[in-house]
Amino acid sequence: MQTVTKEMLIAKAAELLDNGSVTRVFGWQKGEFDYDVTPALFHSAAEMEKDFVWNDFCGANFSKYLIKDKGEGKVLVFLKPCDTYSFNQLLTEHRFDREKVYAVGIPCDGMADIRLIKEEAGEGVTGVDTEGDELVVHTLYDGDIRLNRGDFLAERCKVCKSKKHVAYDELMGDDGEIADSARFDEVAKLEAMSADERFAFWQNELSRCIRCNACRDVCPACSCEKCVFGNPKSGVENKAASDSFEEKMFHIIRAFHVAGRCTDCGECSRVCPQHIPLHLLNRKFIKDIDTFYGEYQAGAEVGSRAPLVDYTEGDIEPSKAVERGGANA
Amino acid sequence: MQVNEGFKPTIVAFCCNWCSYAGADLAGNNRLNYPAEVKIIRVPCSCRVNPMFILRAFQRGADGVIICGCHPGDCHYTSGNYYTRRRMSLLFSMLDYLGIERERTRLEWVSAAEGAKFAATMNDFVEQVTKLGENKRLEDLRCKQ
Ligand code: SF4
Ligand code: SF4
C-alpha cells in the first residue's frame, strides 16, 4: 500500500504550478488498464486530474527524462527512493541542470509486477487494486482474485536496496532506511554453477534478445549522445545483422559501459519484453567492484568517483580477481 | 595434449609500445623462441585496449587473447596500466561468469628488458590455450572460412 496518495501528489503539483515554482510536471499517465502506466509530461492540474496515476505500477524512473527536457522554467519530478540514485548519478556526470529541476521525493512501498500477476490470475485481467497487503485482481472470466501483494512485487522491489531518498528538494511522507538487501543472492547462485552450466544459462537467456534496445534506451547510465550500438556500419545495430556472438557482445559491452555507474535501478529488467534477467549481469559487476575495490554504490553521493575511473597501486591482478570473483571453475 | 594434437591456436597479443612490444623485440634479438601463432598488435598503451577489441578478436577467430603492458608504476603515461588492471579484472571475471573459459584471457606485465619473460609467457599461454582447444563459445560462424 503506497502511503502517499494520488490526490496528495496532484495537490502538491497544483500548488507548485499555481505559485509558479514549476511550469510542468513529470508524472505517470494512465493507459488503457491500471497496469499499463506511461511516463508523461503534464502542464496543468486539470491534465493531471484527468490522466495522472500513482499506483503499484508506477515503476518508471524519471531521472533520465531530465536530460532531454528543455522547457522554460523548472520541471517538477516525483522521485521514488531508488530513482534518486539515478538522479545523483546523472548529476555527477553533468547530464542535466540541477537548477531547472524541482525534485519531490515520495516514499515507495514497492511496485507490483504485472507479469507475475497475469501468470497467477490467468487471462483477462482488467484491473488491479491494492487493499492493504492484498492485491485485488479484477478478471473477465474468474471475477476478483485476491493475491498477497508481497509475492507479486517486481524482482528489484523484493530485494529493494534503499527506502531512503538520497536527493530531493522536498520530501513527502516519511523517509526510510537503506536496506540490507539480498540482491546478490541470485548472482552467487549462478557463480556456484559449473562453467558449462553458466554458459548454457546465459546462452538460453541472451539468445532470446530481440535487440529492441529498450534496455539501453531506458537506462539512466546509458545516456551517450552516440552509442556504439547505434552505428549502422558496425553490423551490430540490429537483430537481423546479429548472430549468437553479437547477442553476447551487446550484453557484455552494455553491462561493461555502465559498470561502476549502474545504480541497480532495475529499469533494464523491467522493460525487457523478453524477460531477460539483465540485473544479473549488472549486479555481477557491482558485486565484483564491492569485493575488489570496496563497497561502492553509484549515485549515493553526487561527485563520487566511479571505480573504473579510479585506481590504487595495490589493486588486485586480473588472474587473482577471477578467483576472488567467486565463480566456479 | 594428445587430445588436441596438431591444433594450433590463434593468439592475439596486445602489446604496449613502450614496454612489452620492446620486450618482444628483445626476445627476437636474443633469438628466444615463442610460437608463430602469437599475433602481436601494437598499442600505444595497454589502456588503449577497449574490451570491444578483445571480444572482436574472439569473434574473428582468436582462441586466446593476452594483453601485455608496462609493470604497474612504470607506465609511459603514468597511470594507464592501473586503469587497464581494473578494467580487465572486471571484464575477465564477467567472461568467466558467462561461462567463457577463464584460461583464454590473460594480462601480463612485461618490461622492455624482459625478453625472456615475454617468450616464456607466450609459450605458457599458447600451451594453456592449446589444451583448451578451439574457442567455440565466442566465435562468429560467419567469420570462418
Ligand atoms: S543497467 Fe539497468 S539497473 Fe543499471 S542503471 Fe541501467 S537500467 Fe538501471
Ligand atoms: S530490452 Fe531485452 S530484448 Fe530488448 S535489447 Fe534489451 S535485452 Fe534485448
Side-chain angles (χ1 to χ4, degrees), chain A residues 88-321:
Chain A
N88 271 352
Q89 184 59 31
L90 286 169
L91 272 181
T92 303
E93 294 167 12
H94 308 289
R95 294 315 307 276
F96 67 85
D97 186 356
R98 182 70 181 84
E99 297 300 309
K100 298 203 71 178
V101 181
Y102 191 81
V104 172
I106 53 178
C108 169
D109 197 25
M111 290 293 150
D113 185 343
I114 188 61
R115 188 166 57 95
L116 297 179
I117 295 174
K118 282 184 172 170
E119 267 169 23
E120 183 64 28
E123 289 295 304
V125 175
T126 56
V128 184
D129 286 321
T130 311
E131 283 176 19
D133 287 341
E134 281 188 326
L135 291 173
V136 185
V137 186
H138 311 297
T139 68
L140 275 180
Y141 312 114
D142 305 307
D144 285 358
I145 300 173
R146 288 183 165 269
L147 301 172
N148 177 22
R149 183 171 179 277
D151 297 339
F152 293 87
L153 288 183
E155 190 279 340
R156 59 171 169 173
C157 301
K158 282 184 184 147
V159 295
C160 179
K161 64 180 182 292
S162 170
K163 298 270 186 220
K164 182 181 157 74
H165 293 80
V166 290
Y168 54 81
D169 291 305
E170 181 181 338
L171 200 59
M172 293 178 77
D174 297 325
D175 209 5
E177 293 297 320
I178 292 179
D180 192 13
S181 153
R183 63 192 167 126
F184 298 118
D185 289 6
E186 286 296 313
V187 176
K189 260 186 225 159
L190 264 174
E191 286 171 346
M193 293 180 181
S194 72
D196 286 343
E197 284 168 339
R198 288 200 298 275
F199 184 75
F201 172 87
W202 284 112
Q203 184 83 341
N204 173 42
E205 295 292 347
L206 299 182
S207 60
R208 298 204 313 272
C209 172
I210 54 173
R211 279 307 299 282
C212 63
N213 286 345
C215 50
R216 179 198 68 179
D217 293 345
V218 79
C219 173
C222 266
S223 61
C224 299
E225 298 281 322
K226 285 212 169 90
C227 174
V228 272
F229 296 108
N231 176 4
K233 290 203 186 105
S234 67
V236 296
E237 87 289 4
N238 61 38
K239 179 73 178 179
S242 84
D243 75 339
S244 63
F245 171 80
E246 298 296 355
E247 284 151 7
K248 274 174 252 152
M249 171 100 152
F250 173 69
H251 288 98
I252 298 170
I253 296 296
R254 204 190 85 77
F256 195 86
H257 281 184
V258 300
R261 304 186 299 118
C262 164
T263 61
D264 200 8
C265 70
E267 285 286 271
C268 45
S269 298
R270 178 180 71 88
V271 299
C272 178
Q274 297 293 88
H275 313 308
I276 299 171
L278 296 164
H279 54 273
L280 294 180
L281 289 176
N282 302 313
R283 282 187 199 155
K284 169 66 177 167
F285 274 135
I286 299 175
K287 183 169 180 274
D288 277 354
I289 287 171
D290 286 354
T291 334
F292 303 160
Y293 312 119
E295 271 188 37
Y296 179 81
Q297 171 61 54
E301 288 165 42
V302 180
S304 67
R305 200 167 171 137
L308 276 174
V309 293
D310 201 2
Y311 65 87
T312 63
E313 285 173 10
D315 279 343
I316 189 167
E317 293 288 331
S319 53
K320 292 275 171 312

Side-chain angles (χ1 to χ4, degrees), chain B residues 26 30 54 60 64 70 79-80 102 106 109 111 117 140:
Chain B
L26 186 63
N30 291 345
I54 299 171
R60 301 276 155 89
C70 312
S79 55
R102 61 175 74 165
R106 195 187 282 192
W109 311 123
S111 81
K117 178 173 180 190
D140 182 345

Side-chain angles (χ1 to χ4, degrees), chain B residues 56-113:
Chain B
R56 272 280 180 252
F58 280 126
Q59 175 198 23
R60 301 276 155 89
D63 299 301
V65 176
I66 179 164
I67 297 150
C68 300
C70 312
H71 284 265
D74 290 347
C75 177
H76 187 75
Y77 308 99
T78 320
S79 55
N81 52 4
Y82 287 123
Y83 295 108
T84 312
R85 184 161 63 181
R86 284 211 167 181
R87 281 182 206 153
M88 295 310 148
S89 292
L90 289 175
L91 181 72
F92 294 177
S93 179
M94 175 55 82
L95 290 176
D96 188 49
Y97 180 67
L98 292 176
I100 292 147
E101 302 93 335
R102 61 175 74 165
E103 293 87 355
R104 291 193 190 278
T105 43
R106 195 187 282 192
L107 175 69
E108 282 290 344
W109 311 123
V110 181
S111 81

